[in-house]
Amino acid sequence: METENKTLNSSGSQHLIREAIRRIALGRSIDRVDMSPGGTGGVGTARLIHGYVAKIHDDPADAEFARYGGTIDVGEYPDETASTEPIIHKGVLLAGTQDNSGGFLIVPTLLSDVTIVSDAATRAMYVVNFSHADLIQLSAHTTVTVGVRETEQLDTSSDSTPDYDELEPTGNEASTHYTAEGIASTVKSDAGKETALTQDAETIALKADRGEFNLSADKAETKVGEQAVTVTGEKITLGAEDATEPMVLGRQLAQLMMEFITECTKIMTPTLMGTMPAVNAPNFAPLISKIQNFLSQTSFTK
């Protein structure tokens, strides 16, 4: 009897020791492990499932939208489960909540491949990987930055090569910054060239080397160096906005020139032998046929 009690006490002590080690190893996760249904307990309570997008709940007229709106249904591939019947996981979340109006969101394409994680404790499911996307959304409260900065290649054959964060930039880079007030984009090359685009609620400005384009509600200006074409609601100017010399109307000028030359051919000069045409009168007629040559075929004004 005494030996049996010792054996029981020893087993109980070993169980207490194992349980203590288990709690130390798992920390606060122990509660989630204990919550998990039978057969899914252990260190991990989450399960990765590979499948396809069976339905996207984005139609308010659909009968299931009230319950599953903002989520997707995922069909599990047969080789992922021992079930002989197709398994459809309904209400898989694309973001932290079913309200997809803000934040980071990817909506996969119908029937595309996805990987989801299923929490055995809470039964919640989330998409973690996509093969194809219909929509990618980035909506932040302050700033969104998207960019690429090229660096020198990592020398994998050398033990002394710098780490990725220590590689020297080549000078080629592009970035776009979005704020609530506007957008700013820049592109730079290793040759020292740079273009910049800025946009706010009232203006758009583009700059490329010596060239500029500026657009606002009442004016558009294209400028290269000191030369500019400016369009406003009242006029169009070439050369500079303060230009004062008016442009001519081509067809009206041609008509005027034709009438002028025609009159010149009629000039008569009194001489001792009577009234005679001008000596160079024959030279005027050929000029009439050349008038149409100075009219542009591509540029017009009114």
Side-chain angles (χ1 to χ4, degrees), residues 47-57 71-81 83 85-94 108-118 125-127 129 131:
R47 174 190 170 210
L48 285 176
I49 300 170
H50 303 290
Y52 61 93
V53 180
K55 184 176 182 179
I56 301 175
H57 294 283
T71 68
I72 64 173
D73 293 347
V74 175
E76 190 167 343
Y77 286 135
D79 57 352
E80 295 289 326
T81 176
S83 174
E85 298 294 329
I87 295 179
I88 302 295
H89 300 277
K90 299 190 73 64
V92 179
L93 293 169
L94 298 171
T109 304
L110 187 65
L111 301 181
S112 62
D113 297 336
V114 293
T115 300
I116 67 175
V117 61
S118 175
M125 292 176 288
Y126 304 88
V127 180
N129 194 22
S131 66

Side-chain angles (χ1 to χ4, degrees), residues 19-262:
E19 185 66 14
I21 294 174
R22 179 169 172 263
R23 287 184 174 275
I24 292 173
L26 295 176
R28 298 183 63 182
S29 298
I30 187 68
D31 296 330
R32 302 180 67 81
V33 174
D34 292 337
M35 290 169 59
S36 61
T40 61
V43 175
T45 67
R47 174 190 170 210
L48 285 176
I49 300 170
H50 303 290
Y52 61 93
V53 180
K55 184 176 182 179
I56 301 175
H57 294 283
D58 58 356
D59 183 6
D62 186 80
E64 294 184 316
F65 185 81
R67 181 177 180 182
Y68 296 116
T71 68
I72 64 173
D73 293 347
V74 175
E76 190 167 343
Y77 286 135
D79 57 352
E80 295 289 326
T81 176
S83 174
T84 58
E85 298 294 329
I87 295 179
I88 302 295
H89 300 277
K90 299 190 73 64
V92 179
L93 293 169
L94 298 171
T97 65
Q98 290 179 229
D99 181 7
N100 297 331
S101 60
F104 177 66
L105 173 70
I106 299 179
V107 178
T109 304
L110 187 65
L111 301 181
S112 62
D113 297 336
V114 293
T115 300
I116 67 175
V117 61
S118 175
D119 190 324
T122 64
R123 304 296 179 90
M125 292 176 288
Y126 304 88
V127 180
V128 295
N129 194 22
F130 308 79
S131 66
H132 299 83
D134 274 349
L135 179 148
I136 298 178
Q137 170 183 288
L138 285 172
S139 180
H141 286 280
T142 56
T143 305
V144 172
T145 299
V146 179
V148 176
R149 176 175 292 175
E150 185 183 64
T151 62
E152 300 292 346
Q153 292 294 321
L154 182 71
D155 185 3
T156 57
S157 63
S158 173
D159 293 334
S160 60
T161 185
D163 290 336
Y164 276 109
D165 59 347
E166 297 174 339
L167 293 173
E168 289 294 325
T170 64
N172 295 322
E173 61 179 85
S175 63
T176 300
H177 303 275
Y178 300 85
T179 66
E181 290 77 28
I183 304 170
S185 298
T186 58
V187 179
K188 300 179 182 179
S189 73
D190 55 5
K193 299 295 185 179
E194 179 179 346
T195 61
L197 171 66
T198 58
Q199 178 180 351
D200 57 31
E202 297 182 352
T203 60
I204 298 175
L206 174 63
K207 185 174 182 180
D209 199 8
R210 298 176 65 241
E212 298 181 29
F213 173 75
N214 298 283
L215 176 65
S216 63
D218 57 356
K219 184 172 70 173
E221 180 184 50
T222 301
K223 185 176 182 181
V224 178
E226 298 300 322
Q227 305 302 317
V229 178
T230 305
V231 180
T232 66
E234 293 77 27
K235 65 178 180 178
I236 300 173
T237 57
L238 303 179
E241 188 176 358
D242 58 356
T244 57
E245 290 294 327
M247 299 176 64
V248 299
L249 300 179
R251 289 195 178 95
Q252 293 192 27
L253 175 61
Q255 181 63 32
L256 176 63
M257 292 293 295
M258 187 174 297
E259 293 175 359
F260 176 77
I261 295 175
T262 300

